[in-house]
């Protein structure tokens, strides 16, 4: 970098700032800027292209090209050299542009006479807002200094665009963050909801991208970085030694905070005329752009660390904390890139919905959102950049769609949908205290699934007869360290108190596979779903299981207790787990604790092998519960977490129903109580078929009890069974079409 270009770029930014300070708005301002850049860079042409919609770029201002082309010339993402810059987010520097690959001639612009082309993305925080181009007649490659200068200018333009500096009279640039946006993501938790945006981490607003005095800016940056370093060191000193993951993150923070390369790049940005904030953002933007290109999980994590660190630095520089002074709306929809389970629990049920830019179906946040029954959309690309605090937002959790700042038609259609759901809820409330007795006189016991203390009030409101599945792992997942026995015991006691005599089936710790405890050494396994999980961990490392069994016995304190072991694949595993329970009972008795007089020990049937276990198993086990989510994935060999295959096989596939029927028969023969507690139990059509196949107990999310009960009460199981038999006899792959036709004609 030469002293001249340094001053050139600084001079250019200085002129830019003067232009910005003038009272000219919108187009006039843009025109002046293009003139200024072309003049400073000694090029005949300077043009600014901005996105008109997510797919189309529009020429918004130019110096040198034909003025009549402004707002007329448009190109699709990826089209021509400008489109290429926008699509790839990289710089295009061509000495002989017309013969470059992908060049597209736009006759209305008159650009054919210009040979060299330099295009840089106008990018803010990894998001491309447009393209800045300079062109000249002389066929030459632009130097790296020129390129750098243009990048710095583009950075400032991005900040200005973000601040709406060009929007006054420019249709193509109707203020960003005012337009309606539709984002498609994935379903984390179903449900339709409406509310206003609450950003988990509000964006820092940079209002001064250009430096007045580079020396002062350098000083500000150095001071801020020092504060940052001290902060990271303090966090490291305060971090619990055992939490290796947290330590790793903090170590990475420290590495970046002390990184000479990072610092040097920011200092260079400042010496070229950017303010300290803009320099931090420029580096952050580059890191974000890289993020979208790397697949390596470790590298992505580190880039995220750098991103977090940049945010901290920006907060220090701008004095904008997470506390922005904004009030949380009454109907908050939480927007975050990602969120930990504990943070989500802090918000609790105050949230009406959650949208995550990342996340996965099996993430801890998703587990908590499901437990809290809050609609959740995951993988909502760009939501954190698009949404502003207080924006109106509607979520369709069933379809995984986010409507941000929706227009009136969307609002009306969406509210109709919510109203229909509310009407249905009223219908369900009216039968809450009625039994799920079918038209042919069979009563099905409907139980609810739970995992948090916060779920327990639903026992009353949903009309569930008991808790058919209490997933105990949530208590372990949401903490940073292993919970203590006394804590667990107190919690389980509160659960039993809240259940008020209704049966609660506690499932012992089901970890491994997608559920990884933050404080346990992660296992590198080629196929975690088929790996060291649930009862396998419990039996190999019995310490935690013993502690949990003790906590349960103490919590019951003489009251009836139901415990089931997850993922039992063979009789021996059940026997070994049961032996642990017997030992725990004995120990507690010796210690003088009151033990439950009425104790039942069951197993979850989640692997096909257990369906074929010896008769002795069926005779011994007190009850069985089918974990349909796992059972189905193993039956069809289709990963429940893999979007490509998880919906590929129908639960009402004849093979699966026949398999379930065999299990029902075995349980009938051995008089073993049987229930179904996977997600399918909460789907009315599936639940109806299960009942027709002989299931008499179903456990589901509380919100599903109403719809399932409503269905069962209208149903004749004998007739439905005949429909299923007929479809099976006819060789159909799935009984669903026949069942649907029957239900349509008989309701
Ligand atoms: C199941 O597998 O169906 C089940 C209920 O357990 P989880 O979803 O917690 O694995
Ligand atoms: Mg399971």
């Amino acid at each position: 970098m030469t002293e001249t270009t340094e001053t050139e770029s600084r001079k250019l930014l200085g002129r830019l700032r003067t232009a910005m300070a003038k009272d000219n708005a919108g187009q006039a301002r843009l025109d002046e800027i293009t003139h200024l850049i072309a003049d400073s860079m000694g090029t005949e042409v300077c043009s600014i292209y901005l996105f008109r919609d997510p797919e189309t770029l529009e020429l918004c201002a130019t110096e040198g090209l034909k003025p009549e082309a402004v707002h007329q010339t448009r190109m699709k993402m990826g089209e021509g050299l400008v489109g290429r810059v926008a699509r790839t987010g990289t710089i295009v520097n061509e000495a002989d542009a017309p013969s470059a690959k992908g060049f597209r001639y736009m006759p209305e612009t008159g650009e054919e006479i210009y040979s060299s082309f330099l295009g840089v993305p106008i990018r803010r925080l990894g998001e491309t807002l447009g393209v800045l181009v300079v062109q000249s007649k002389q066929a030459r490659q632009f130097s790296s200094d020129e390129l750098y200068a243009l990048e710095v200018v583009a950075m400032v333009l991005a900040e200005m665009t973000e601040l709406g500096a060009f929007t006054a009279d420019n249709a193509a640039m109707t203020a960003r963050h005012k337009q309606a946006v539709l984002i498609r993501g994935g379903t984390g938790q179903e449900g339709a909801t409406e509310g206003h945006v609450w950003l988990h981490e509000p964006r820092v607003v940079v209002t001064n991208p250009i430096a007045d005095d580079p020396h002062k800016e350098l000083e500000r940056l150095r001071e801020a970085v020092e504060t940052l370093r001290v902060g990271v060191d303090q966090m490291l000193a305060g971090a619990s030694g055992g939490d290796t993951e947290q330590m790793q993150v903090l170590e990475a923070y420290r590495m970046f905070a002390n990184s000479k390369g990072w610092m040097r790049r920011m200092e260079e940005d400042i010496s070229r005329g950017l303010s300290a904030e803009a320099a931090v953002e420029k580096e952050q933007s580059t890191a974000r752009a890289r993020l979208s290109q790397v697949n390596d999980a470790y590298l992505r994590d580190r880039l995220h660390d750098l991103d977090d660190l940049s945010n901290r630095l920006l907060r220090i520089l701008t004095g904008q904390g997470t506390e922005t002074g904004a009030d949380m709306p009454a109907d908050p929809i939480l927007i975050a890139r990602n969120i930990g389970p504990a943070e989500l629990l802090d918000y609790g049920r105050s949230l009406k919905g959650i949208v995550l830019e990342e996340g996965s179906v099996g993430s801890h946040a998703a587990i908590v959102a499901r437990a809290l029954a809050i609609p959740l959309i995951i993988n909502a690309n760009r939501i954190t950049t698009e949404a502003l605090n207080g924006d109106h937002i509607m979520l369709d959790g069933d379809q995984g769609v986010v409507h941000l700042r929706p227009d009136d038609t969307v609002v009306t259609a969406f509210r109709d949908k919510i109203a229909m759901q509310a009407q249905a809820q009223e219908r369900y409330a009216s039968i809450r205290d009625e039994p799920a007795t079918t038209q042919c006189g069979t009563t099905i016991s409907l139980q609810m699934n739970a995992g948090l203390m916060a779920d327990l009030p639903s026992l009353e409101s949903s009309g569930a007869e008991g808790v058919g599945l209490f997933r105990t792992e949530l208590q372990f997942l949401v903490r940073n360290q292993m919970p203590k026995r006394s804590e667990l015991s107190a919690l389980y006691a509160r659960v039993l108190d809240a259940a008020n005599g209704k049966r609660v089936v506690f499932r012992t710790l089901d970890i491994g596979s997608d559920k990884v405890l933050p404080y346990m050494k992660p296992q590198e396994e080629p196929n975690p779903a088929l790996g060291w999980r649930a009862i396998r961990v419990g039996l190999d490392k019995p310490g935690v299981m013993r502690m949990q069994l003790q906590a349960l016995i103490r919590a019951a304190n003489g009251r009836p207790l139901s415990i089931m072991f997850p993922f039992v694949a063979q009789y021996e595993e059940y026997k070994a787990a049961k032996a642990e329970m017997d030992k725990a009972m004995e120990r507690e008795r010796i210690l003088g604790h009151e033990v439950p007089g009425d104790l039942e020990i069951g197993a979850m049937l989640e692997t096909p092998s257990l369906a074929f276990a010896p008769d002795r198993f069926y005779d011994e086990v007190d009850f069985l519960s089918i974990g349909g989510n796992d059972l189905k994935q193993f039956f069809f060999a289709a990963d429940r977490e893999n979007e490509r295959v998880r919906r590929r096989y129908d639960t009402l596939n004849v093979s699966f129903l026949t398999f379930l029927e065999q299990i029902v028969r075995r349980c009938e023969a051995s008089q073993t109580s049987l229930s179904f507690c996977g997600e399918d139990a909460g789907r009315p059509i599936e639940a109806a078929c299960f009942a027709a196949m002989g299931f008499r107990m179903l456990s589901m999310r509380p919100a599903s009890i109403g719809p399932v009960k409503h269905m069962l009460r209208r149903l004749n199981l004998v007739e439905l069974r005949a429909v299923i038999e007929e479809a099976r006899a006819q060789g159909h792959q799935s009984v669903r079409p026949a069942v649907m036709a029957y239900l349509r004609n008989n309701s």
Side-chain angles (χ1 to χ4, degrees), residues 528-646:
L530 305 174
W532 197 54
R533 51 178 292 200
I535 190 81
R536 300 172 184 175
V537 181
L539 292 176
D540 291 356
K541 296 236 177 272
V544 178
M545 187 157 95
R546 284 180 191 149
M547 183 269 279
Q548 198 184 17
L549 294 176
Q550 262 185 329
L552 283 163
I553 297 169
R554 289 186 192 178
N557 194 21
R559 289 177 282 191
L561 182 61
S562 305
I563 292 179
M564 71 177 168
F565 295 109
F567 213 67
V568 175
Q570 58 180 9
Y571 172 44
E572 290 300 322
E573 286 172 343
Y574 173 74
K575 240 173 49 179
K578 172 90 170 34
E580 285 293 344
M581 186 63 199
D582 291 343
K583 269 194 264 173
M585 288 281 277
E586 188 52 31
R587 238 186 342 257
E588 290 303 286
R589 214 178 272 124
I590 292 168
L591 287 172
H593 291 289
E594 195 170 349
V595 297
D598 190 356
L599 173 71
E600 44 169 9
I601 307 287
M604 285 190 78
L605 198 158
E606 303 188 270
T607 59
S609 62
L610 204 63
F612 305 98
D615 286 341
R616 282 188 61 187
F617 167 71
Y618 280 79
D619 291 338
E620 274 178 37
V621 73
D622 291 328
F623 63 93
L624 277 176
S625 190
I626 292 185
N629 307 336
D630 275 313
L631 185 63
K632 199 177 145 196
Q633 78 165 336
F634 298 121
F635 187 78
F636 288 112
D639 187 346
R640 64 191 262 193
E641 299 290 332
N642 182 337
E643 288 300 326
R644 276 218 173 127
V645 297
R646 77 188 184 97

Side-chain angles (χ1 to χ4, degrees), residues 300-360:
R300 285 183 65 86
D301 279 351
R302 294 294 76 85
L303 285 168
H304 274 315
D305 293 342
L306 181 59
D307 198 59
D308 284 341
L309 208 66
S310 305
N311 278 334
R312 277 171 198 270
L313 194 51
L314 279 174
R315 294 219 161 85
I316 296 172
L317 278 165
T318 57
Q320 295 168 24
T322 21
E323 274 301 322
T324 54
D327 284 332
M328 177 135 109
D331 48 4
I333 304 246
L334 186 77
I335 309 286
R337 206 177 63 208
N338 223 335
I339 187 168
E343 288 170 302
L344 196 50
L345 277 175
D346 281 345
Y347 285 106
R349 287 187 199 274
S350 63
L351 299 177
K352 289 202 69 184
I354 306 162
V355 186
L356 299 181
E357 190 149 323
E358 298 179 351
S360 71

Side-chain angles (χ1 to χ4, degrees), residues 275-309:
S275 68
E277 287 88 341
V280 176
E281 264 203 14
K282 183 166 174 291
E283 291 312 309
Q284 190 178 16
S285 200
T286 312
R288 282 219 182 155
R290 278 184 63 201
L291 241 181
S292 60
Q293 284 154 10
V294 297
N295 287 324
D296 179 81
Y298 178 79
L299 215 62
R300 285 183 65 86
D301 279 351
R302 294 294 76 85
L303 285 168
H304 274 315
D305 293 342
L306 181 59
D307 198 59
D308 284 341
L309 208 66

Side-chain angles (χ1 to χ4, degrees), residues 392-671:
H392 185 202
I393 184 169
M394 292 175 143
L395 311 188
D396 185 341
D398 305 337
Q399 306 294 327
V401 172
V402 181
H403 299 283
L404 184 64
R405 301 179 287 267
D407 55 34
D408 292 348
T409 10
V410 172
V411 171
T412 314
F414 199 86
R415 289 206 177 132
D416 284 350
K417 183 173 172 159
I418 294 183
M420 272 169 61
Q421 287 186 349
Q423 268 173 14
Q425 287 304 331
E426 270 173 36
R427 249 198 330 267
Y428 306 146
S430 69
I431 54 168
R432 190 190 64 184
D433 300 322
E434 304 292 328
T437 303
T438 63
Q439 292 293 318
C440 51
T442 306
T443 300
I444 313 292
S445 171
L446 301 185
Q447 313 260 329
M448 68 172 231
N449 295 345
L452 296 168
M453 196 55 218
D455 290 325
L456 268 295
S458 303
L459 197 48
E460 185 64 32
S461 59
S462 69
E465 284 179 36
V467 178
L469 165 66
F470 190 92
R471 292 179 160 107
T472 61
E473 59 274 11
L474 282 179
Q475 304 309 322
F476 290 76
L477 284 169
V478 298
R479 284 161 204 250
N480 289 328
Q481 56 196 33
M482 183 75 78
K484 296 196 182 73
R485 185 182 54 206
S486 55
E487 288 170 346
L488 287 181
S489 163
L491 175 98
Y492 299 151
R494 273 169 45 224
V495 171
L496 288 170
D497 293 346
N500 203 11
K502 287 184 176 173
R503 178 177 181 249
V504 179
V505 179
F506 290 96
R507 171 173 81 180
T508 61
L509 191 56
D510 181 8
I511 49 156
S513 185
D514 59 311
K515 300 166 192 156
V516 182
L517 297 186
Y519 39 88
M520 238 170 103
K521 200 162 147 245
Q523 302 290 323
E524 284 295 328
E525 294 188 290
N527 289 304
L530 305 174
W532 197 54
R533 51 178 292 200
I535 190 81
R536 300 172 184 175
V537 181
L539 292 176
D540 291 356
K541 296 236 177 272
V544 178
M545 187 157 95
R546 284 180 191 149
M547 183 269 279
Q548 198 184 17
L549 294 176
Q550 262 185 329
L552 283 163
I553 297 169
R554 289 186 192 178
N557 194 21
R559 289 177 282 191
L561 182 61
S562 305
I563 292 179
M564 71 177 168
F565 295 109
F567 213 67
V568 175
Q570 58 180 9
Y571 172 44
E572 290 300 322
E573 286 172 343
Y574 173 74
K575 240 173 49 179
K578 172 90 170 34
E580 285 293 344
M581 186 63 199
D582 291 343
K583 269 194 264 173
M585 288 281 277
E586 188 52 31
R587 238 186 342 257
E588 290 303 286
R589 214 178 272 124
I590 292 168
L591 287 172
H593 291 289
E594 195 170 349
V595 297
D598 190 356
L599 173 71
E600 44 169 9
I601 307 287
M604 285 190 78
L605 198 158
E606 303 188 270
T607 59
S609 62
L610 204 63
F612 305 98
D615 286 341
R616 282 188 61 187
F617 167 71
Y618 280 79
D619 291 338
E620 274 178 37
V621 73
D622 291 328
F623 63 93
L624 277 176
S625 190
I626 292 185
N629 307 336
D630 275 313
L631 185 63
K632 199 177 145 196
Q633 78 165 336
F634 298 121
F635 187 78
F636 288 112
D639 187 346
R640 64 191 262 193
E641 299 290 332
N642 182 337
E643 288 300 326
R644 276 218 173 127
V645 297
R646 77 188 184 97
R647 286 187 230 268
R648 193 176 177 98
Y649 303 100
D650 191 354
T651 305
L652 301 186
N653 179 301
V654 166
S655 311
F656 193 56
L657 281 189
T658 306
F659 180 53
L660 292 181
E661 187 186 30
Q662 282 186 20
I663 302 170
V664 171
R665 293 233 175 95
R666 285 204 75 179
C667 287
E668 280 170 357
S670 60
Q671 297 196 323

